Amino acid sequence: MTHSQTNHAQVNRTTPSSELAQVMAHPDSFRLLYFPLEAQGQTSRDLLTYGGAKWESASPQNWLEEKDKMPFGCLPVLFINKGDKQVVISETHAIENYLAKHFGLMGDNEYEETLIRAFHCSTASLFATFQASVIWSLPEVREKTLQGFKSKQLAHWVKTHERHLLENGNNGHYLGNKMSLADIRTANLLRHFSLQPFGAELMEIINQAPALIKLKETVESDPKMHQWKNSDEAKKLAAATKAFFVNPFAATRPTA
Ligand SMILES: N[C@@H](CCC(=O)N[C@@H](CS)C(=O)NCC(=O)O)C(=O)O
């Protein structure tokens, strides 16, 4: 088995970091380990696609056994390969920031990079709030948490992000006239909402924000993104995501 096929992920403490940095700067290929869902893995998949990288998706074969072999016991984890060398990085934000920088999606200077990080952070925070307060709330209180999320956190996020997008000229981007990590992350969040069983309710709010819709369309109409979203693999991921969120508790219940 070559290094690119194992799912054993450790922080490398023996190779000099300058060598590891070379792998990250000039990789041959990537492998993204995540569950066979969109969710928290999809922005990284989109970044790899947008960057035109050679990459593959992988899923755990036996998660309960593999969990403790991951740096933080959770996914996504990214394997970066160059020849017989490999770097493993974990944690969604670290992976997304690395990939975005590698593919030139973090702006042209420190100011732009910081702004992109801020938009990204705001959107990632909303995703985290949604997961914690709505998705993983008990089914008997879900309706209440959903209504609270819609009227407070979602309404506020839509208002502020719509304003930023309008201030940038409503051109489908957060900053200037080019794609960034923030654009891709927000397009994914909107897509994540649309795949929920109560997605129509959430999208009713988003649909009142034309600049957010324009951003989503801009990201999705990029030729590489469009081709990837229409691939069999991406369609399977979308269908599995839709099915998973109908009852996430049932889907994650241990079978052993
Ligand atoms: N802090 C981690 C959290 C990732 C996370 O929550 N991953 C979930 C899937 S979305 C996971 O691995 N769940 C399986 C488990 O915890 O056993 C990150 O941002 O990457």
Side-chain angles (χ1 to χ4, degrees), residues 119-189:
F119 292 130
H120 174 262
C121 184
S122 169
T123 296
S125 297
L126 189 75
F127 175 88
T129 301
F130 177 66
Q131 295 299 103
S133 68
V134 180
I135 294 298
W136 297 108
S137 63
L138 292 171
E140 51 272 31
V141 295
R142 166 118 11 105
E143 185 52 31
K144 216 169 163 183
T145 58
L146 175 63
Q147 295 315 321
F149 174 78
K150 278 168 54 182
S151 64
K152 292 194 189 87
Q153 292 96 340
L154 180 60
H156 185 74
W157 179 88
V158 168
K159 187 173 73 179
T160 54
H161 281 249
E162 185 73 359
R163 174 164 52 80
H164 288 298
L165 290 167
L166 290 173
E167 282 170 4
N168 191 49
N170 189 16
N171 61 2
H173 302 292
Y174 278 107
L175 196 65
N177 197 14
K178 55 180 187 267
M179 190 82 89
S180 74
L181 168 64
D183 299 348
I184 293 178
R185 184 52 131 123
T186 287
N188 259 304
L189 176 71

Side-chain angles (χ1 to χ4, degrees), residues 241-254:
T241 306
K242 230 174 159 171
F244 177 90
F245 285 107
V246 169
N247 187 353
F249 286 103
T252 54
R253 200 172 292 139

Side-chain angles (χ1 to χ4, degrees), residues 34-35 39-40 63 67 73-76 90-93 127 131:
Y34 189 64
F35 301 99
Q40 194 86 312
W63 176 238
K67 184 174 168 69
C74 57
L75 299 177
S90 58
E91 288 297 297
T92 310
H93 289 203
F127 175 88
Q131 295 299 103

Side-chain angles (χ1 to χ4, degrees), residues 180-201:
S180 74
L181 168 64
D183 299 348
I184 293 178
R185 184 52 131 123
T186 287
N188 259 304
L189 176 71
L190 303 186
R191 189 174 157 79
H192 185 66
F193 286 153
S194 73
L195 293 173
Q196 301 304 315
F198 42 81
E201 265 185 73

